[in-house]
């Protein structure tokens, strides 16, 4: 299915990992990029034994809105497409946490991005109100360093020292 993706992204307070306790579900995700150019990405994802192909267009000026097309593909197709991806992969566990009428997706990264924890919330409009869980910290919507396609190219381990200690 395709349509507009409207989301906001935040750093997460990691002390005690409260998002884990608050989660109603979690899953391991591995993904690669066939194309990770600015303004368009083609992603292959394997999540819970299922494959997905996602194409994303450029973000708006605020970084909140962009076109997204996603289609489930077979696990075999996803496995084969992963072999065509650019060097590097994203490996993370995603925790789903309800807050008010929204679900926050909290990603805990591994490998070169180990130590990074980011939360996203999908919205119906850029100015839609939502209730932030207590573990939500600084907003990083639109900061390209936190895009998964960029984390693949320039892992968090290379620039973690630029963030306050509580987020490293």
């Amino acid at each position: 299915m395709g349509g507009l993706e409207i989301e906001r992204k935040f750093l997460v307070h990691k002390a005690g990992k409260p998002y884990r306790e608050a989660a109603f579900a979690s899953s391991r995700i591995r993904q690669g990029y066939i194309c990770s150019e600015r303004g368009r990405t083609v992603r292959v994802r394997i999540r819970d034994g299922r494959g997905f192909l996602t194409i994303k267009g450029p973000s708006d000026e605020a970084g909140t809105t962009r076109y997204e097309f996603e289609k489930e593909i077979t696990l075999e197709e996803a496995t084969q497409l992963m072999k065509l991806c650019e060097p590097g992969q994203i490996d993370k566990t995603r925790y789903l946490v309800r807050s008010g009428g929204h679900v926050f997706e909290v990603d805990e990264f591994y490998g070169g991005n180990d130590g990074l924890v980011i939360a996203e919330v999908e919205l119906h409009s850029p100015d839609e109100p939502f209730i932030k869980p207590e573990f939500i910290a600084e907003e990083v919507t639109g900061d390209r360093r936190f895009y998964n396609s960029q984390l693949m190219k320039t892992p968090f381990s290379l620039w973690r020292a630029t963030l306050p200690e509580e987020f490293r």
Side-chain angles (χ1 to χ4, degrees):
M1 285 208 221
L4 286 183
E5 173 190 56
I6 303 169
E7 69 181 14
R8 291 181 53 192
K9 192 175 287 207
F10 303 86
L11 290 175
V12 171
H13 294 290
K14 297 184 302 187
K17 301 188 180 189
Y19 54 90
R20 285 184 180 179
E21 295 172 14
F24 67 87
S26 67
S27 58
R28 191 70 177 250
I29 296 172
R30 188 169 53 93
Q31 64 192 42
Y33 289 84
I34 292 172
C35 174
S36 63
E37 293 181 22
R38 186 179 186 123
R40 63 182 154 267
T41 59
V42 179
R43 176 184 76 201
V44 179
R45 175 179 278 177
I46 296 175
R47 178 180 185 175
D48 296 330
R50 297 168 61 196
F52 299 89
L53 181 65
T54 306
I55 301 169
K56 294 187 179 193
S59 295
D60 66 1
E61 207 170 287
T64 58
T65 306
R66 63 182 167 177
Y67 178 79
E68 177 184 67
F69 170 87
E70 184 168 80
K71 180 157 179 63
E72 186 167 355
I73 58 177
T74 68
L75 180 58
E76 176 62 25
E77 290 168 330
T79 301
Q80 291 303 315
L81 286 173
M82 283 288 222
K83 296 175 185 176
L84 302 177
C85 288
E86 298 171 354
Q89 286 189 354
I90 296 295
D91 184 15
K92 61 189 179 180
T93 296
R94 173 165 289 168
Y95 298 89
L96 301 180
V97 178
R98 283 189 185 90
S99 182
H102 295 88
V103 173
F104 280 75
E105 298 175 337
V106 181
D107 291 342
E108 184 178 295
F109 291 84
Y110 308 111
N113 294 302
D114 191 51
L116 180 62
V117 182
I118 299 174
E120 298 176 352
V121 62
E122 291 203 13
L123 305 170
H124 293 98
S125 68
D127 58 351
E128 179 181 345
F130 56 91
I131 299 168
K132 292 182 193 175
E134 290 183 14
F135 56 79
I136 296 295
E138 178 182 340
E139 185 164 5
V140 293
T141 302
D143 185 334
R144 292 185 49 75
R145 295 178 299 171
F146 297 99
Y147 288 16
N148 282 253
S149 59
Q150 291 304 305
L151 290 169
M152 179 197 67
K153 294 177 182 180
T154 309
F156 180 59
S157 59
L158 299 178
W159 53 273
R160 72 183 321 132
T162 65
L163 294 182
E165 183 69 32
E166 67 179 297
F167 302 116
R168 293 189 212 164

